[in-house]
């Protein structure tokens, strides 16, 4: 029987593990077999995580967090969770290996996944000119012509970042106005490398071995046309990874795990959430780490209260 099982890793999961381990709860982290470490594993330099004035590589930051958690006694398992039974006092976590782990408390830090377009050519060309992460792949498009799909802050951030490398950056947006904040819009409009195609959506990607263009449909007239591109970046949001819990705990209207105020407490006692799986707004490494701390402290208090109210055995 485990005191705490943490499902997912990344800054949220590993911070929760650090705090849980320091509280002598011997946490087990199910880090995942493929996506261990979360989105930071796909990031190059992280310049805004406190304590690293010279910046730090995303994978290096994750490694540091993992090693710190292990130093205090956390156990890391590189496997996937296939089923969760979260109701009742004892939670059951089933792994792909078939092992079933029982725990008194579970922290969900499963993160979120990039939302893609769902168009023809997408699966074939992912990683071959198609990307959802400018900071990961922008370097490979030096002196190229690229496009960014989206109209929010993320899209404007991606477009602005890509101007460091690409010759031209075209923003493709399905409406005639942006959803991005005013300052992000102003930054993009002022950049001579960035242009806009309004009222358009990508319906197909062109290219055999790499992206060479995209088919656009005018959302007003319905007309289609093909534009030449060396790369396409998708920045239309993220979907929280809640498949395993969506029928067990309450979610927000946008699909993220609902928690009680500023706590990490979900609608099931003993189940807590941390990181991007509950955060549709900020989605930063530091905010994920902070919520991992909150989840660990909430779990610690929950377990302490259980012990306080447990019936005392009477000797016969």
């Amino acid at each position: 029987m485990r005191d705490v099982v943490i499902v997912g890793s990344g800054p949220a999961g590993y911070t929760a593990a650090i705090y849980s381990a320091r509280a002598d709860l011997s946490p087990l982290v199910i880090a995942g077999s493929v996506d261990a470490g979360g989105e930071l594993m796909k990031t190059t330099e992280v310049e805004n995580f406190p304590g690293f004035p010279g910046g730090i590589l995303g994978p290096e930051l994750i490694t540091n967090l993992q090693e710190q958690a292990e130093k205090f006694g956390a156990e890391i398992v590189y496997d996937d969770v296939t089923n969760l039974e979260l109701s009742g006092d004892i939670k059951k976590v089933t792994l792909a290996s078939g092992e079933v782990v029982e725990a008194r408390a579970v922290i969900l830090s499963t993160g979120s996944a990039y939302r893609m377009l769902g168009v023809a050519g997408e699966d074939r060309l992912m990683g071959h000119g198609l990307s959802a992460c400018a900071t990961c792949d922008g370097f490979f498009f030096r002196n190229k012509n690229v496009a960014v799909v989206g109209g929010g802050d993320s899209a404007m951030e991606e477009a602005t970042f890509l101007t460091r490398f690409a010759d031209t950056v075209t923003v493709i947006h399905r409406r005639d106005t942006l959803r991005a904040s005013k300052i992000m819009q102003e930054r993009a409009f002022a950049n001579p490398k960035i242009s806009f195609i309004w009222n358009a959506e990508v319906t197909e990607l062109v290219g055999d071995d790499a992206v060479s263009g995209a088919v656009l449909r005018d959302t007003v007239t319905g007309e289609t046309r093909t534009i030449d591109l060396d790369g396409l970046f998708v920045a239309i949001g993220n979907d929280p990874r809640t498949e395993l819990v969506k029928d067990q705990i309450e979610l927000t209207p946008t699909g993220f795990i609902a928690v009680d105020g500023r706590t990490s407490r979900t609608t099931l006692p003993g189940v807590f959430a941390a990181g991007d799986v509950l955060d549709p707004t900020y989605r930063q490494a530091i905010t994920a780490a902070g919520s991992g701390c909150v989840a660990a402290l909430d779990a610690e208090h929950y377990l302490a209260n259980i012990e306080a109210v447990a019936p005392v055995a009477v000797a016969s």
Side-chain angles (χ1 to χ4, degrees), residues 206-220:
V206 179
D208 295 325
D209 300 321
V211 170
S212 61
V215 178
L216 306 184
R217 185 185 76 87
D218 190 301
T219 58
V220 177

Side-chain angles (χ1 to χ4, degrees), residues 151-226:
D153 278 355
S154 295
M156 297 309 104
E157 288 173 3
E158 298 270 280
T160 301
F161 177 83
L162 286 167
T163 60
R164 301 182 189 183
F165 310 101
D167 280 347
T168 65
V169 179
T170 303
V171 174
I172 301 169
H173 187 42
R174 58 184 177 180
R175 299 187 178 90
D176 58 2
T177 57
L178 298 173
R179 294 180 290 104
S181 60
K182 184 178 180 182
I183 188 170
M184 294 303 300
Q185 291 191 43
E186 291 174 347
R187 238 177 242 176
F189 290 143
N191 194 312
K193 283 190 173 184
I194 298 177
S195 61
F196 293 81
I197 297 178
W198 304 104
N199 297 320
E201 60 183 7
V202 175
T203 59
E204 183 180 351
L205 296 177
V206 179
D208 295 325
D209 300 321
V211 170
S212 61
V215 178
L216 306 184
R217 185 185 76 87
D218 190 301
T219 58
V220 177
T221 66
E223 296 178 353
T224 61
R225 59 171 169 143
T226 301

Side-chain angles (χ1 to χ4, degrees), residues 50-115:
F52 299 94
I56 184 171
L57 296 177
E60 184 181 359
L61 177 57
I62 289 298
T63 299
N64 289 349
L65 290 168
Q66 177 189 332
E67 289 178 353
Q68 189 173 359
E70 291 178 310
K71 170 187 173 182
F72 293 117
E75 181 183 350
I76 316 297
V77 173
Y78 296 99
D79 202 347
D80 298 313
V81 175
T82 59
N83 189 60
L84 288 168
E85 296 177 38
L86 299 176
S87 60
D89 294 335
I90 305 303
K91 323 299 180 185
K92 294 183 179 180
V93 181
T94 304
L95 307 185
S97 64
E99 180 182 2
V100 177
V101 181
E102 294 186 340
R104 297 195 296 162
V106 168
I107 295 174
L108 303 168
S109 59
T110 48
S112 62
Y114 292 118
R115 190 177 301 156

